[in-house]
Amino acid sequence: MATPIKPTPVLTGADSCRFAKAMENVRKISPKEREEYEKAYKWFKQAAKFPL
């Protein structure tokens, strides 16, 4: 039987401030960059199909 997953701790203090700043400064990616990431993802997804 699997062990239960513990609840995620709540961020407080300096950690919460750092997280909020990081969420305000999310870097947007270009359509070309996104296409490259999707291509790599599809390749890895295909490569990870192992026969059982």
Side-chain angles (χ1 to χ4, degrees):
M1 183 179 230
T3 38
I5 298 172
K6 295 179 183 177
T8 305
V10 176
L11 292 177
T12 58
D15 290 333
S16 64
C17 292
R18 193 176 325 117
F19 179 77
K21 284 180 185 177
M23 290 297 100
E24 289 174 0
N25 299 319
V26 176
R27 184 177 73 90
K28 301 287 184 183
I29 62 172
S30 67
K32 183 180 178 185
E33 224 177 344
R34 182 179 179 90
E35 184 179 322
E36 290 174 8
Y37 292 151
E38 286 179 1
K39 184 178 176 184
Y41 169 75
K42 288 177 183 176
W43 186 89
F44 278 107
K45 188 176 176 183
Q46 181 65 32
K49 290 185 178 177
F50 303 110
L52 295 177

